[in-house]
């Protein structure tokens, strides 16, 4: 596999306090979009019916470059790499993580194409994201009966009821159903992982790029989620869908390697989203504790509160440094590393929950009310644990890396 994710690689080690110019410029543009366009709509997006989708908001995000941030410049993208994507998604997630996930899921849908190094696939699909109108993508891995078994190689043979693919002339025929797929309802294409017919479990996992207007593709109902309600999660059904052979990524049976590579790449960006959720909770707590007077003094001046705020701030900063390091590694190593993205997401996910919970304790009853916003942040914080690796899956990835390093000593 080959990749072209970043065109802003520094000749020296990355200074986490001074990002590359193009990355910082992109981050500031996205920050303005998040504050001026997304923030006024946050409550509305959260409380609308599950199937509501704000294409106008997505159009604004598209014009900032969020749909093509990782796409190389030769295909009309920004080429800011995972470092640019992760920092930008933190800015959006600090306002609305559901909106951030719309663009993060699009990146994930692009990932197999980016990783493929296949100029035909890249020329066919990547320029779609540089047009005047927004185009979204999705990544279809999870099944009704198979989730972790599709991302842990040692468990692949135990995967049940996996979507299958069989060769038929110049096409592959896909049959099966994918669940919990972000953007499935609104994406132009999906990167789909199916196992070759006759393979045990997911041992024959293979990656395909599937335009979702092909005959036999059915988009299922939108899930009514606890949080991240600005983005849509739904099912994708494949009823003998004929996919041209040239839309296969890599070769038959290489899907597990591609899946692991895209997960390692995406976890850095997802850790940026989790950090944004934690940052939102911290900002709400800081604002409240600076205003609220109790016992004749602002809460911020009371030792117990100060200890909580300091701990929250340290965790947010640590999460950010971990994802920045992970993103820098992804942009400069091939294949993308396992340890740094997994460790970054593991820590950032826990940080989002811990900081939101502590903020709730500081705001008290107000934090429990929808009108103050922290209640939404708390719900969103819980969602970060699920996608792109649960804590248990991430722990396995981190631990396997530790023992792999030990074997090298």
């Amino acid at each position: 596999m080959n990749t072209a994710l970043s065109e802003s690689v520094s000749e020296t080690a990355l200074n986490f306090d001074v990002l590359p110019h193009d990355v910082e410029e992109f981050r500031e543009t996205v920050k303005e979009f998040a504050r001026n366009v997304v923030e006024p709509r946050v409550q509305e997006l959260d409380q609308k019916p599950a199937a509501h989708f704000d294409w106008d908001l997505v159009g604004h995000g598209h014009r900032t470059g969020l749909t093509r941030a990782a796409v190389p410049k030769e295909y009309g993208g920004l080429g800011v790499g995972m470092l640019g994507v992760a920092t930008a998604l933190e800015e959006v997630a600090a306002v609305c993580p559901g909106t951030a996930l719309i663009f993060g899921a699009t990146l994930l849908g692009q990932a197999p194409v980016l990783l493929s190094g296949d100029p035909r696939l890249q020329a066919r699909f990547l320029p779609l994201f540089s047009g005047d109108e927004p185009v979204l993508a999705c990544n279809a891995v999870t099944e009704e009966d198979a989730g972790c078994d599709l991302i842990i190689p040692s468990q692949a043979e135990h995967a049940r009821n996996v979507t299958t693919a069989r060769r038929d002339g110049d096409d592959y025929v896909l049959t099966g159903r994918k669940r919990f797929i972000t953007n499935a309802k609104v994406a132009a294409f999906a990167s789909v992982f199916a196992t070759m017919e006759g393979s045990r479990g997911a041992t024959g996992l293979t990656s395909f790029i599937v335009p979702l207007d092909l005959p036999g593709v059915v988009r299922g109902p939108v899930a009514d989620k606890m949080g991240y309600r600005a983005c849509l999660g739904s099912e994708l059904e494949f009823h003998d869908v004929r996919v041209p052979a040239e839309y296969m990524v890599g070769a038959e049976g290489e899907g597990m390697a591609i899946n692991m590579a895209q997960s390692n790449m995406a976890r850095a960006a997802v850790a940026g989203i989790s950090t944004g959720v934690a940052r939102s909770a911290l900002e709400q707590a800081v604002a409240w504790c600076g205003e609220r007077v109790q016992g004749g003094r602002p809460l911020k001046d009371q030792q117990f509160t100060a200890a909580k705020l300091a701990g929250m701030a340290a965790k947010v900063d640590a999460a950010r440094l971990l994802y920045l390091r992970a993103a820098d590694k992804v942009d400069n190593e091939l294949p993308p590393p396992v340890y740094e993205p997994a460790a970054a997401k593991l820590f950032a996910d826990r940080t989002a929950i811990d900081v939101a919970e502590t903020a709730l304790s500081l705001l008290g009853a107000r934090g429990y009310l929808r009108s103050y916003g922290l209640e939404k942040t708390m719900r969103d914080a819980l969602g970060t644990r699920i996608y792109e690796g649960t804590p248990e899956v991430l722990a396995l990835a981190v631990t396997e890396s530790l023992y792999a390093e030990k074997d090298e000593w």
Side-chain angles (χ1 to χ4, degrees):
M1 290 186 298
N2 188 21
T3 184
L5 290 178
S6 177
E7 299 172 16
S8 59
V9 178
S10 173
E11 295 180 358
T12 59
L14 179 68
N15 179 344
F16 291 131
D17 291 320
V18 182
L19 297 174
H21 176 72
D22 56 346
V23 170
E24 180 61 26
E25 187 175 55
F26 179 52
R27 187 185 72 84
E28 286 297 323
T29 300
V30 171
K31 182 177 182 179
E32 184 176 335
F33 158 71
R35 296 300 179 188
N36 295 338
V37 179
V38 181
E39 191 166 23
R41 310 186 192 194
V42 168
Q43 289 295 329
E44 177 187 1
L45 291 170
D46 185 56
Q47 295 174 20
K48 283 281 189 180
H52 174 76
F53 191 72
D54 193 335
W55 273 109
D56 179 68
L57 180 145
V58 171
H60 281 279
H62 168 66
R63 288 188 286 277
T64 70
L66 279 166
T67 53
R68 62 187 188 281
V71 174
K73 292 178 181 177
E74 64 188 282
Y75 296 113
L78 300 184
V80 293
M82 201 49 50
L83 188 63
V85 170
T87 53
L89 291 183
E90 181 193 336
E91 294 300 330
V92 182
V95 175
C96 178
T99 300
L101 192 56
I102 294 171
F103 300 106
T106 293
L107 163 71
L108 194 56
Q110 298 166 348
V113 181
L114 291 167
L115 290 164
S116 71
D118 185 333
R120 294 175 304 168
L121 274 180
Q122 292 180 343
R124 165 67 178 83
F125 290 102
L126 296 182
L128 296 175
F129 301 95
S130 61
D132 293 334
E133 297 300 319
V135 171
L136 301 177
C138 65
N139 191 275
V141 176
T142 303
E143 311 268 354
E144 173 69 27
D145 297 318
C148 295
D149 289 343
L150 297 174
I151 59 175
I152 301 175
S154 61
Q155 296 181 194
E157 65 177 307
H158 303 294
R160 300 172 59 241
N161 300 325
V162 182
T163 296
T164 60
R166 60 179 174 85
R167 185 70 184 253
D168 184 21
D170 293 332
D171 299 328
Y172 283 87
V173 180
L174 271 58
T175 303
R177 182 175 69 154
K178 297 290 185 177
R179 290 206 69 189
F180 311 117
I181 309 303
T182 300
N183 283 356
K185 201 74 172 178
V186 292
F189 71 80
S191 54
V192 179
F193 290 78
T195 198
M196 295 307 300
E197 200 171 70
S199 300
R200 181 176 174 82
T203 56
L205 205 65
T206 304
S207 176
F208 300 90
I209 305 302
V210 181
L212 295 181
D213 59 357
L214 290 178
V217 175
V218 176
R219 305 178 196 244
V222 173
D224 195 358
K225 306 190 302 294
M226 174 193 294
Y228 285 80
R229 294 180 62 83
C231 64
L232 306 185
S234 59
E235 300 178 359
L236 281 175
E237 297 179 13
F238 302 96
H239 299 276
D240 294 331
V241 177
R242 302 188 72 88
V243 180
E246 60 264 30
Y247 289 0
M248 181 173 64
V249 182
E252 291 183 8
E254 290 186 353
M256 184 63 75
I258 296 169
N259 192 16
M260 292 180 66
Q262 71 172 20
S263 290
N264 295 335
M265 182 184 86
R267 284 168 182 166
V270 174
I273 293 177
S274 298
T275 302
V277 176
R279 182 180 121 195
S280 174
L282 172 63
E283 290 172 349
Q284 292 175 72
V286 167
W288 173 250
C289 292
E291 299 171 1
R292 174 67 164 175
V293 174
Q294 189 167 300
R297 293 181 299 162
L299 285 178
K300 69 180 181 64
D301 293 335
Q302 301 189 32
Q303 192 174 49
F304 185 72
T305 301
K308 286 188 174 185
L309 291 173
M312 295 160 71
K315 288 179 180 179
V316 172
D317 272 350
R320 182 177 297 110
L321 289 171
L322 281 172
Y323 90 64
L324 288 173
R325 181 183 69 155
D328 185 52
K329 289 272 189 180
V330 167
D331 284 339
N332 289 281
E333 293 185 15
L334 188 66
V338 175
Y339 175 81
E340 288 85 0
K345 184 178 186 298
L346 182 66
F347 185 82
D349 290 353
R350 186 69 251 177
T351 294
I353 295 170
D354 289 347
V355 173
E357 185 177 29
T358 304
L360 185 61
S361 74
L362 291 170
L363 269 71
R366 287 166 179 78
Y368 207 64
L369 300 177
R370 283 191 170 186
S371 58
Y372 279 79
L374 186 58
E375 175 266 351
K376 175 183 179 299
T377 303
M378 188 79 243
R379 285 186 282 113
D380 289 335
L382 295 170
T384 60
R385 295 166 56 90
I386 298 171
Y387 57 90
E388 282 315 302
T390 63
E392 294 77 16
V393 168
L394 297 172
L396 284 173
V398 169
T399 304
E400 287 174 3
S401 297
L402 293 177
Y403 280 93
E405 292 177 3
K406 184 177 180 181
D407 291 341
E408 295 174 358
W409 295 346

